[in-house]
Amino acid sequence: MQTAWDHVRLAAERTPGHLAIVDDQNDRSYTFQQLVEEVEAVAAGFMEGGIGPGQRTATVLPNVIEHAVAILAFHRLRTEVCLVNPRLKPEEIGALLREAGVSTVVCTSDAALIDAARRALPRGAPLYTCGGALEDSINFASCHGNTLHFPDWVSPEPEENAFILYTSGTTGLPKGVMIPHRATDARVLYAVVQCGLRHGTHNRALGLMPLFHAVGFYSSFLTTLSLNGTYYVHSHFNPVQAIEIIKTQKITFLYGAPAHFHALLTAPNFDPNSVNTVNTLVYAGAVMPGALLDRVSRAFPGALMTNIYGTTEVMNSLYMSEPVGRPFTLRPGFYSNVRVARVGGPIDEVCPDGEEGELLVDATSDACFRGYLNRPDVTAERLVDGWYRTGDIVLRQEGGDFELRGRVDDMIISGGENIHPEEIELVLMNHAAVQDVAVVGLPDDQWSERVAAFVVLNKKDVTSTALDQWCKNSTLANYKRPRDYIFVDVLPRNAANKILRGELKKLSPDANTE
Ligand code: 01A
Ligand code: AMP
Ligand code: MG
């Protein structure tokens, strides 16, 4: 078993002088040797701040270079790292940090976030900020300890948590997915086996995917470093700048959500000649609409393209090489053992080929998570007798390929982010003018699915702009806000009073009347 830190330090032994990571904000870059030294120095700084093995730590950061360093330094100290999405509102972030019982946080220098983090931490706990220290926080840039007496690296037990990654649930706080160190190798290897990567210093990756998601950390960042390639930091996604980096740095490996590729192709400076060094193009997180798939493949004619289906919980399960013309077709990956079971039925009620059912994934694979933090109830629902219930509806074709058909639940995937309608409905229902509301995902070229709210107003009148402002002022993260409001007289419901979301999806958003 190699942990993430092992992958990086062993890569550094192989090519100490090769560039490991390059920052897009300033001139900073680290060779593998310098990266190891930087991580050790920061880990020593954390240790002087009282951080040590067995504790739970957290980051709330975009893809800045400090984020990569902080994660590795926390692993070097054998802490369990909670990676929290900085796009969540401070109130929700604070609740997650409290729930996880973290001993320290590295976050941005946003005052409201610092305040929320401070209130979630035990009294006197160190709080590190990137981009300047505020109030009683410590500037991360000055977190360098003395490595002279720093303890030698002791590998953690395979079942120790490397990470707590978050995935949103129907209601309430996002669930913490506990990922052990033994999962690391499998979570890195699948991309090498299935996406056409080879070991070597020729690999140059642009870090499009957020480091706080499974794909961003394991498949983009760690895979690149373990191959002795160079990871180019992209601190805030900006398609114009991304194209500039691809061109000037001769990027070879791009791993993104469909929404990243949509943005790149629509950027004013996009030119296939600027991106022709890309030879490995991978997307994951959502279906890439067929029309976009065609455009991407024409824009990157020299790249081998792979569609990767996976989950935070079990990582890669299905994939498709050269997906053009078959956006919903996937096949099992090299370590996956999957089955299709009747929706709502027991796990051994396997559906015959050609029949829709829920995709179950072998949970005995090394890549699999250990359960949800503090949520034995949900863990027991999703992890059943060695199988993980994905919640995705698929159909197995006779030849062994799988076709993705939808979701068991009402989850929307916008830009590769999961959004549960219930969470948004709750916020909108609290508005005085809203009598009834249902949120659904509508097909969208940019976001794969876009959030739309069908609203029944009571006697009070309200505009969609006012409802949007209401959401902005709520605890809901901004990216979850509805992009369309459609005002209707009544919501279609069945005899059991359940909203018929399928019927709503058929209503054209052009029916929007403000
Ligand atoms: O009205 P405003 O100003 O608030 O609009 C803002 C944002 O709210 C909005 N926005 C979004 C989204 C979104 N996902 N859906 C709808 N709206 N994200 C942002 O866009 C306006 C501009 O805001 P921004 O902060 O500048 O946004 P960008 O930086 O341009 O963000 C767009 C991105 C596509 C980059 C961002 O959504 C993103 O990074 N998405 C990728 C998410 C991802 O990494 N998904 C994979 C998760 S791992 C789980 C998984 O699926 C998997 C798959 C395979 C696991 C394992 C395997 Cl093997
Ligand atoms: P998460 O719950 O954040 O780990 O996201 C995993 C979910 O994203 C899966 O259950 C799928 O619904 C969706 N997903 C991930 N990759 C793909 C893909 N390549 N195509 C379609 N849906 C995907
Ligand atoms: Mg942006």
Side-chain angles (χ1 to χ4, degrees):
M1 173 193 88
Q2 288 183 23
T3 66
W5 173 237
D6 291 321
H7 276 272
V8 174
R9 80 186 169 81
L10 293 172
E13 287 182 14
R14 295 191 294 264
T15 61
H18 186 67
L19 264 190
I21 190 162
V22 179
D23 195 355
D24 64 350
Q25 294 297 290
N26 48 49
D27 288 337
R28 243 176 338 160
S29 63
Y30 300 125
T31 63
F32 276 89
Q33 180 61 37
Q34 287 166 340
L35 176 62
V36 165
E37 284 164 9
E38 175 69 7
V39 168
E40 296 254 331
V42 170
F46 283 148
M47 199 174 77
E48 287 168 14
I51 308 304
Q55 291 179 4
R56 210 164 271 153
T57 54
T59 63
V60 194
L61 292 170
N63 278 12
V64 289
I65 197 167
E66 290 86 353
H67 197 178
V69 171
I71 293 172
L72 293 173
F74 280 145
H75 274 178
R76 172 67 179 86
L77 284 179
R78 279 181 67 180
T79 73
E80 299 180 5
V81 195
C82 303
L83 302 184
V84 181
N85 182 347
R87 281 199 181 89
L88 301 180
K89 294 270 174 72
E91 191 172 295
E92 190 171 12
I93 293 172
L96 288 176
L97 298 174
R98 230 184 328 273
E99 207 231 359
V102 300
S103 325
T104 191
V105 179
V106 184
C107 65
T108 64
S109 52
D110 176 82
L113 175 57
I114 294 176
D115 185 50
R118 174 53 71 206
R119 281 188 282 117
L121 287 172
R123 194 188 294 272
L127 169 60
Y128 302 88
T129 52
C130 295
L134 279 181
E135 297 167 34
D136 57 350
S137 70
I138 304 161
N139 190 346
F140 181 79
S142 63
C143 176
H144 284 91
N146 186 347
T147 52
L148 208 59
H149 305 292
F150 196 53
D152 287 340
W153 168 237
V154 179
S155 201
E157 293 301 318
E159 288 307 311
E160 274 179 42
N161 289 334
F163 286 117
I164 313 291
L165 299 184
Y166 289 92
T167 178
S168 57
T170 334
T171 49
L173 279 181
K175 301 170 299 215
V177 179
M178 297 187 287
I179 302 173
H181 285 285
R182 58 101 170 122
T184 313
D185 291 330
R187 283 175 178 247
V188 166
L189 267 177
Y190 85 85
V192 184
V193 178
Q194 284 157 198
C195 304
L197 294 164
R198 285 179 301 117
H199 182 255
T201 51
H202 61 278
N203 290 293
R204 288 183 298 278
L206 178 61
L208 294 175
M209 291 298 237
L211 284 167
F212 57 80
H213 276 315
V215 168
F217 182 80
Y218 288 109
S219 315
S220 181
F221 172 73
L222 194 58
T223 299
T224 303
L225 292 197
S226 65
L227 294 176
N228 287 94
T230 307
Y231 178 85
Y232 290 82
V233 170
H234 192 37
S235 341
H236 183 91
F237 180 57
N238 176 312
V240 171
Q241 284 165 14
I243 290 165
E244 208 40 43
I245 303 176
I246 296 171
K247 185 172 148 189
T248 54
Q249 306 298 339
K250 300 185 170 52
I251 295 298
T252 61
F253 174 33
L254 276 188
Y255 198 139
H260 285 111
F261 293 101
H262 181 277
L264 291 178
L265 261 61
T266 26
N269 60 338
F270 185 82
D271 168 6
N273 292 319
S274 307
V275 298
N276 60 11
T277 50
V278 176
N279 55 35
T280 311
L281 190 157
V282 188
Y283 72 88
V287 171
M288 188 181 287
L292 180 58
L293 203 46
D294 290 348
R295 287 170 58 207
V296 173
S297 103
R298 280 200 301 276
F300 293 85
L304 176 68
M305 195 167 171
T306 310
N307 175 8
I308 290 289
Y309 162 95
T311 55
T312 307
E313 287 88 342
V314 288
M315 210 63 192
N316 174 240
S317 313
L318 305 171
Y319 81 111
M320 182 52 78
S321 287
E322 304 296 10
V324 174
R326 42 184 180 180
F328 299 98
T329 312
L330 295 148
R331 51 185 62 144
F334 95 107
Y335 63 67
S336 40
N337 176 20
V338 294
R339 66 162 65 151
V340 186
R342 191 170 61 77
V343 174
I347 52 153
D348 47 9
E349 212 168 291
V350 175
C351 296
D353 286 357
E355 212 171 273
E356 280 183 3
E358 183 178 6
L359 178 73
L360 305 190
V361 179
D362 184 354
T364 63
S365 97
D366 279 347
C368 190
F369 75 132
R370 300 178 54 236
Y372 299 104
L373 180 68
N374 303 335
R375 298 295 300 274
D377 50 335
V378 194
T379 303
E381 273 169 33
R382 302 298 287 263
L383 272 180
V384 185
D385 293 337
W387 291 90
Y388 170 67
R389 292 183 189 273
T390 62
D392 289 305
I393 297 179
V394 296
L395 166 160
R396 187 180 185 276
Q397 298 166 346
E398 241 172 54
D401 282 353
F402 287 70
E403 213 178 290
L404 206 51
R405 287 297 183 94
R407 289 282 307 173
V408 166
D409 54 18
D410 301 314
M411 188 174 90
I412 301 165
I413 302 179
S414 170
E417 296 287 357
N418 297 356
I419 300 174
H420 286 273
E422 294 85 347
E423 195 188 348
I424 305 161
E425 287 164 2
L426 249 152
V427 169
L428 286 170
M429 273 308 275
N430 280 333
H431 190 283
V434 175
Q435 183 180 309
D436 207 358
V437 60
V439 168
V440 297
L442 298 177
D444 191 79
D445 202 36
Q446 178 180 8
W447 299 111
S448 297
E449 278 190 295
R450 91 178 166 280
V451 177
F454 288 81
V455 182
V456 180
L457 295 178
N458 56 26
K459 291 203 175 57
K460 295 193 181 73
D461 208 12
V462 74
T463 61
S464 53
T465 313
L467 289 178
D468 190 48
Q469 192 57 46
W470 176 259
C471 289
K472 277 186 188 163
N473 295 343
S474 76
T475 55
L476 196 67
N478 274 332
Y479 69 88
K480 299 181 182 174
R481 279 162 31 235
R483 302 285 143 178
D484 287 341
Y485 286 92
I486 299 138
F487 296 100
V488 291
D489 293 334
V490 66
L491 296 176
R493 290 176 186 274
N494 66 12
N497 210 31
K498 195 171 178 299
I499 292 169
L500 298 169
R501 289 176 208 270
E503 292 302 306
L504 283 173
K505 284 189 188 194
K506 288 181 199 152
L507 295 179
S508 156
D510 302 335
N512 196 342
T513 52
E514 187 178 312

